[in-house]
Amino acid sequence: MATKNTEDSEEFTTRGGVSVSRTRHAVSYSTALDDYIEGLDSRRGAVFSSNYEYPGRYTRWDTAIIDPPLSIIARGRSMRVEAHNERGEALLAIVARRLEREKEIELGLKLQRSLELTVLMPKGSFSEERRSKVPTVFTPLRAIIDLFFNEEDDNLGLFGAFGYDLALQFDSVDLHLKRPDGQRDLVLYLPDEILVVDHYSAKAWVDRYEFSRRDHTTVGKSAETDSTPFEMAENTPPRGDHEPGEYARLVRKAKEKFQRGDLFEVVPGQMFYERCVSPPSAISRRLKETNPSPYSFFINLGEREYLVGASPEMFVRVNGRRVETCPISGTIKRGEDAIADSQQILKLLNSKKDESELTMCSDVDRNDKSRVCEPGTVRVIGRRQIEMYSRLIHTVDHIEGRLADGMDAFDAFLSHAWAVTVTGAPKLWAMRFIEENEKSTRAWYGGAIGMVGFNGDMNTGLTLRTIRIKDGIAEVRAGATLLYDSDPDEEEAETELKASAMLSAIREAGKANDVASTRSAARVGDGVSILLVDHEDSFVHTLANYFRQTGAKVTTMRSPISDAVFDEVKPDLVVLSPGPGSPKDFDCKATIKKARSRDLPIFGVCLGLQALTEAYGGDLRTLAIPMHGKPSRVRVSEPGLVFSGLGNSVTVGRYHSIFADPATLSQDFIITAEAEDGTIMAIEHRSEPVAAVQFHPESIMSLGQDAGMRMIENVVAHLARRA
């Protein structure tokens, strides 16, 4: 293949003799996607994004196309290649010439802007190793890839969606559900303009292409394409295709199959409906904000049909000869914060049911690869790895193989169709169970979205966590992996939880992103001045940050504190920080004396509690075993001002070797909290504005229930204003 390069353009010839000229133009990185997303409300095209990173698996990228000149559509074994403008007419003529050579294709009506064709039924028998070569709609796709194949461009290819029913051309399943007349099984676009956004270099560019072969060329041809504005539906759809409790009954029916050994696992789904009151672009933006994923997508499929999704799962990715997949199975709800998340992760990893789910999925996946990969190359390179999404936590395996000679990306694609994580095992029997028991056709759900490159590579994601919009009505299908030990009610609840993020995106489209890892601090500190005394501690600035979140002004000064500092800061509250050593190392008594002489409220943290204990006449002791970086459950005996609203117990983070001796603690103090071993964890003065805790509210170990921040709010709201 001849190649000619310049700084901003490149020319090359494909395997099929098509001359391609590519011109590259830099565009604004910050606004690169905006016009594409808005445009897809009325114009064909697609935006694919990966806004979720996982080392060795996913990186951040965006690719977008709009107004493609040519599309390829399939319904069953019938296909149509359609031109959308004058440039598409030229491409259609080039493609038609190549398809005429395929023996398994019967060409039908050919017009200036469309070509009808049918893939003939296969003749004879095929070994399992050659099943992916059986004539299907992938036969003309292979011919088109061969026509445009080149090694000079990594981005040019076919972009779009693959429907669930495509697998039925590969494996035999009797149909029980009537397919809607307008259901399409495949929509792929051949673009002449591709936006690429590189988030690592913070650059974006648009590649524009011209195609020529013999007497057909796109050069000088019009790119004007018809558009169809989005229209909202007038009618309100039902809740879904299942009544409450109906999915649980299906789980019980599946258990009978498990009992007989017909199935090991199966993944039926139920559908939820919602009327769209916002355009698809607004739903896409909302979903991308609230549910980052490695396969985020927004596709205008034409015919008033859209796909908006945030899929967590790779379907098949091929780079050169390497093929990889990432089966997901094992699910648990996210916690309210990072601490609760960690507890949920432990629960998930210790679940034998969830481990069995993923094990079976990966065993089937390895079997799928073994059909098309070189012996000995299929291996698990990641086992039960944790991936975190907006409302769910998943366990994920990562599996790779090397394609055998004579096998291509479509062989890998078909061998895995469809992923066991959306069907079950044994896969064919599971697909038959799904066909017999689901109440509506899957359409795009359980299929794939993505790109098939003209360089032979492929990058596709499973069509999960997807909103299908047709004529203004949104459909959301969600399933659960059923095993013999599944709880019917829990599995039904899991499908509802999986669907909830999609339904929320539909209902809340257009709203600003209000998702945060923790709640916002209450602004109880507005107008409050705090002097934070630093005892050379490693966490003092996090503590200061917590106080600042309440709106207070915080001045951090290292001990010793002079009278001039008190006069300059004019604090409403003095906070004694944690620190190493003992209170005597920092002459804490002097600081406390100066604060008391000014009638200032005092709050002590860790070393601060020890300092107050000594300042009021008490003694300190040393723990037999230091508590450094250890969480403890604290029993709250008196809510007082620190623990208000936190209940009778709370988990906190401890860093200390020294503690207050309860036998010598001044009677002026009330012990408000103790550890399970009896160590004093919090004290408050009976009459003066003085309180202290023997733990770190700012520690990550105190994040549960947002307890640490709530304690700081209480201190600012009640102690700083008690003077």
Side-chain angles (χ1 to χ4, degrees), residues 401-437:
R402 183 168 295 277
L403 288 173
D405 289 342
M407 296 294 176
D408 60 18
F410 283 129
D411 292 305
F413 186 97
L414 285 167
S415 185
H416 289 80
W418 287 115
V420 65
T421 51
V422 293
T423 54
K427 188 187 293 187
L428 188 53
W429 284 52
M431 292 172 71
R432 289 169 180 159
F433 179 89
I434 287 168
E435 178 66 24
E436 293 167 5
N437 290 280

Side-chain angles (χ1 to χ4, degrees), residues 474-493:
E475 302 173 354
V476 176
R477 186 182 293 270
T481 302
L482 311 183
L483 303 178
Y484 179 72
D485 50 356
S486 289
D487 180 280
D489 294 328
E490 289 182 2
E491 301 293 4
E492 179 166 328

Side-chain angles (χ1 to χ4, degrees), residues 286-287 290 391 467 499-509:
R286 182 63 178 174
L287 186 61
T290 59
R391 303 190 182 196
I467 302 164
S500 65
M502 309 299 111
L503 296 173
S504 293
I506 298 166
R507 295 164 185 160
E508 299 172 2

Side-chain angles (χ1 to χ4, degrees), residues 532-540 543 547 574-584 586 588 592 602-615 619-621 623 626-630 632 634 642-643 652-661 665 669 679-683 690-699 701-702 711-712 715:
L532 176 53
V533 181
D534 176 14
H535 299 123
E536 299 177 5
D537 185 58
S538 294
F539 312 118
V540 66
L543 187 61
F547 278 106
V574 176
V575 177
L576 305 177
S577 86
S582 70
K584 293 184 176 66
F586 302 96
C588 290
I592 293 169
I602 305 173
F603 178 59
V605 178
C606 212
L607 181 77
L609 180 143
Q610 299 158 21
L612 287 166
T613 297
E614 284 193 328
D619 295 328
L620 303 176
R621 298 285 182 266
L623 290 168
M627 297 294 289
H628 295 156
K630 301 291 180 64
S632 280
V634 172
V642 174
F643 299 99
V652 298
R654 295 169 66 178
Y655 290 90
H656 67 110
S657 300
I658 302 172
F659 67 100
D661 182 357
L665 184 70
F669 282 108
T679 302
I680 293 174
M681 285 287 105
I683 58 176
V690 175
V693 294
Q694 185 59 68
F695 55 82
H696 287 241
E698 82 288 353
S699 170
M701 293 176 286
S702 306
M711 292 177 201
I712 297 301
V715 168

Side-chain angles (χ1 to χ4, degrees), residues 101-320:
R101 294 161 42 190
E102 295 299 312
K103 296 179 180 179
E104 294 92 354
I105 297 173
E106 181 177 87
L107 296 181
L109 182 65
K110 183 178 185 300
L111 301 173
Q112 187 174 1
R113 289 204 170 183
S114 67
L115 170 66
E116 305 287 341
L117 59 95
T118 302
V119 180
L120 301 176
M121 292 296 294
K123 298 178 181 179
S125 58
F126 288 79
S127 68
E128 285 303 305
E129 291 79 7
R130 303 291 296 174
R131 181 174 290 276
S132 57
K133 304 295 186 183
V134 171
T136 64
V137 295
F138 291 88
T139 302
L141 293 183
R142 277 192 169 102
I144 293 171
I145 296 294
D146 179 69
L147 173 64
F148 290 99
F149 184 88
N150 70 88
E151 297 178 349
E152 283 75 23
D153 193 292
D154 295 336
N155 297 314
L156 189 59
L158 301 177
F159 296 71
F162 303 83
Y164 178 82
D165 279 1
L166 288 175
L168 307 187
Q169 298 184 33
F170 180 72
D171 277 317
S172 176
V173 174
D174 292 334
L175 302 186
H176 293 263
L177 292 168
K178 184 181 184 305
R179 268 55 182 170
D181 293 338
Q183 177 173 306
R184 295 173 291 173
D185 300 330
L186 174 79
V187 175
L188 294 176
Y189 294 130
L190 198 169
D192 57 1
E193 177 180 299
I194 303 174
L195 168 71
V196 179
V197 182
D198 181 348
H199 290 289
Y200 286 120
S201 64
K203 294 181 180 179
W205 63 89
V206 171
D207 285 337
R208 294 190 174 94
Y209 299 86
E210 299 288 355
F211 304 91
S212 301
R213 189 174 189 275
R214 296 180 181 174
D215 53 346
H216 301 292
T217 182
T218 59
V219 177
K221 300 294 178 65
S222 172
E224 185 176 349
T225 304
D226 294 336
S227 61
T228 305
F230 172 74
E231 294 182 4
M232 289 183 286
E234 296 182 359
N235 59 306
T236 300
R239 170 185 180 271
D241 64 356
H242 284 64
E243 296 296 328
E246 197 170 1
Y247 189 89
R249 291 194 291 274
L250 177 58
V251 177
R252 296 184 181 95
K253 186 175 182 179
K255 282 175 173 281
E256 299 172 5
K257 298 289 187 179
F258 301 140
Q259 182 73 49
R260 289 199 298 268
D262 294 344
L263 295 172
F264 309 141
E265 63 180 359
V266 69
V267 194
Q270 62 169 317
M271 183 84 82
F272 301 88
Y273 301 106
E274 193 80 19
R275 177 174 174 267
C276 293
V277 295
S278 299
S281 60
I283 296 171
S284 175
R285 290 184 190 279
R286 182 63 178 174
L287 186 61
K288 192 173 179 180
E289 288 174 349
T290 59
N291 203 1
S293 69
Y295 288 92
S296 174
F297 55 92
F298 175 24
I299 310 174
N300 182 332
L301 295 164
E303 300 184 18
R304 300 189 186 280
E305 185 175 18
Y306 307 81
L307 291 179
V308 179
S311 177
E313 185 168 348
M314 180 192 300
F315 176 53
V316 171
R317 185 164 66 189
V318 177
N319 291 102

Side-chain angles (χ1 to χ4, degrees), residues 322-325 365 369 373 377-381 398-402:
R322 183 182 187 234
V323 54
E324 57 183 322
T325 54
D365 185 277
K369 285 184 179 59
C373 288
T377 65
V378 178
R379 62 193 188 103
V380 179
I381 58 176
H398 192 178
I399 305 173
E400 70 171 8
R402 183 168 295 277

